[in-house]
Amino acid sequence: MLTSLSTMAFKKFGLYLIVTVLVLVFGGGCATSLLDTPSTPNEMGVGEGTVVGSFLVEPVPQWTDHPEHFWLLLGKKFPSMKQYSIPLMTNQEEYIVKHLPVGKYWVLKLYAGKLGGFMSTSKPQGWDAQAWEFEVLEQQITYIGRLRVITAKEPDQILAYRQSTKNKLGKVMAYATKSNVVSLNTELPRLYVNVAIEDSLQDAQNMLESKGWTREDINRIVTSLMAPLSEENK
């Protein structure tokens, strides 16, 4: 269990604290799955481009009771506010090949558990240093790399400490407002994550070829690995 991991161990793994969202319904029920109906050649319409890339979630070995399902939520830059989901199984890389409207996209949240999640990351607080964005260009095939996310559950003793701190705050508020009871929400588990972008272009090309894309199509790929979230979009 992760409860035995020390703070130094977390630093070694490069894990960052992420804010939990439990009550948020995943994507408001309107997110489009990027894994459904993968795009085929010669389908790009006006104002569209093609995105090719892959996503991988790997819980740390100490998290033995981790859920099998994770969900990435991507968003298109304002004013569209269109959201896209990527359902993921642990340790199973998933490729996307999708025609999307031109514009900038970035990771909004990572959910652990089934649809809706019991833990999640949250942008901007949790993804300031690790958020990644990509841009879809008209009539181009853009390779965005592999987004690899290593996850860990918050240690129980840290969760207990945060709950204790909140309980003390509740008592202070009750005293200050002369109230008998001040109800504060229960602290929820947080995720720790380490995010990296890896170049697996050859694997992506092999995948496209196996799906019927011609070498001529594949040679049109423009390599543009996802980059840190720019200041204007934080």
Side-chain angles (χ1 to χ4, degrees):
M1 292 294 294
L2 294 175
T3 53
S4 63
L5 289 180
S6 66
T7 301
M8 290 182 63
F10 281 115
K11 289 181 179 179
K12 181 179 179 181
F13 280 100
L15 299 174
Y16 295 86
L17 196 60
I18 303 300
V19 176
T20 300
V21 179
L22 177 66
V23 297
L24 181 64
V25 176
F26 179 78
C30 58
T32 300
S33 174
L34 289 182
L35 296 186
D36 291 343
T37 59
S39 298
T40 57
N42 305 318
E43 286 184 342
M44 273 189 286
V46 176
E48 288 186 334
T50 303
V51 171
V52 178
S54 59
F55 298 83
L56 177 65
V57 174
E58 297 179 329
V60 297
Q62 292 86 352
W63 190 5
T64 56
D65 61 342
H66 62 75
E68 289 300 313
H69 297 272
F70 285 81
W71 302 79
L72 269 173
L73 183 65
L74 276 64
K76 189 175 185 298
K77 185 178 178 180
F78 183 84
S80 168
M81 303 302 291
K82 177 69 175 177
Q83 295 182 348
Y84 299 87
S85 66
I86 304 175
L88 297 168
M89 295 287 288
T90 57
N91 302 308
Q92 180 175 310
E93 186 173 6
E94 291 286 356
Y95 279 92
I96 62 167
V97 185
K98 205 74 173 179
H99 301 320
L100 294 175
V102 298
K104 290 186 177 181
Y105 299 75
W106 62 87
V107 176
L108 295 174
K109 293 180 174 67
L110 171 69
Y111 290 85
K114 295 185 178 180
L115 193 64
F118 70 86
M119 289 187 293
S120 81
T121 63
S122 179
K123 184 267 175 188
Q125 297 93 335
W127 288 82
D128 280 351
Q130 304 96 257
W132 305 88
E133 67 177 9
F134 60 90
E135 186 171 6
V136 176
L137 302 176
E138 188 165 10
Q139 299 300 308
Q140 287 195 11
I141 304 173
T142 302
Y143 172 64
I144 60 175
R146 172 196 288 137
L147 175 64
R148 184 166 175 255
V149 184
I150 300 175
T151 64
K153 181 183 177 182
E154 178 180 42
D156 292 340
Q157 69 268 23
I158 295 180
L159 175 61
Y161 174 77
R162 292 195 297 106
Q163 185 63 60
S164 174
T165 300
K166 178 168 282 190
N167 292 342
K168 291 178 181 178
L169 175 61
K171 292 179 181 179
V172 171
M173 292 175 60
Y175 177 80
T177 60
K178 301 186 183 329
S179 300
N180 292 326
V181 178
V182 173
S183 177
L184 296 178
N185 293 332
T186 301
E187 283 292 296
L188 302 174
R190 295 174 175 175
L191 287 179
Y192 289 80
V193 299
N194 182 32
V195 182
I197 297 296
E198 302 173 345
D199 188 351
S200 58
L201 177 58
Q202 186 60 57
D203 292 337
Q205 292 174 332
N206 294 340
M207 182 276 301
L208 286 174
E209 197 164 19
S210 70
K211 298 293 185 181
W213 290 65
T214 67
R215 178 51 56 180
E216 182 180 1
D217 288 321
I218 295 174
N219 287 340
R220 293 171 48 221
I221 290 179
V222 176
T223 301
S224 179
L225 301 183
M226 286 186 278
L229 194 66
S230 59
E231 288 295 330
E232 67 181 43
N233 288 332
K234 285 185 179 180

